[in-house]
Amino acid sequence: MKEFKATVLGNLQSKANSRKFIRPGLIIKSKVALEFEESALLQLKAPMRGRKPLEGNVACEFEVYYQSRRSDLDTSLIRDILQKAGVYLNDRQIVQVLETKHLDKSNSRVEMLIYEL
C-alpha cells in the first residue's frame, strides 16, 4: 500500500475562520493561516524528498492537537497544504477522511496518515 505519514507542528487554523475580507470579491488567508501554511510546507519537504505523489483515490486520517478547545475541527487547510507539498496530485482524490480533535496546550500539531485505497 502506498502511504504517507507525517506530523506537522503548529496550531492548525480553520480554513473557514481564517479568511480576511479585503474588498468585495477579494478574500485572502489571514496572517496566522499563511504562517501555518508556510511552516507546514517546510516541515513536509523532508518527508516528501524523493517521493512521488499518490495518484489514486486516497483516504486521510488526521489527529489534530489544538492549543485550546475553542478551535473548530477543520482539516481543509492541511488538505490543501498536502496538495501543494505534492503528497497527492489534487485534493479531489480524497474519498475518505477521519478527523479526531485533541487538546495539547504545549504541543499543538497535526499527525496524519494518507494512503491510496
Side-chain angles (χ1 to χ4, degrees), residues 22-41:
I22 302 298
R23 64 175 191 270
L26 181 59
I27 300 172
I28 62 171
K29 289 179 189 164
S30 68
K31 182 179 178 187
V32 290
L34 287 170
E35 288 171 352
F36 177 83
E37 181 177 310
E38 222 174 87
S39 173
L41 286 168

Side-chain angles (χ1 to χ4, degrees), residues 62-75:
F62 297 104
E63 299 283 332
V64 184
Y65 295 80
Y66 289 106
Q67 292 175 337
S68 75
R69 297 195 186 283
R70 294 187 60 205
S71 300
D72 294 339
L73 178 59
D74 179 1
T75 61

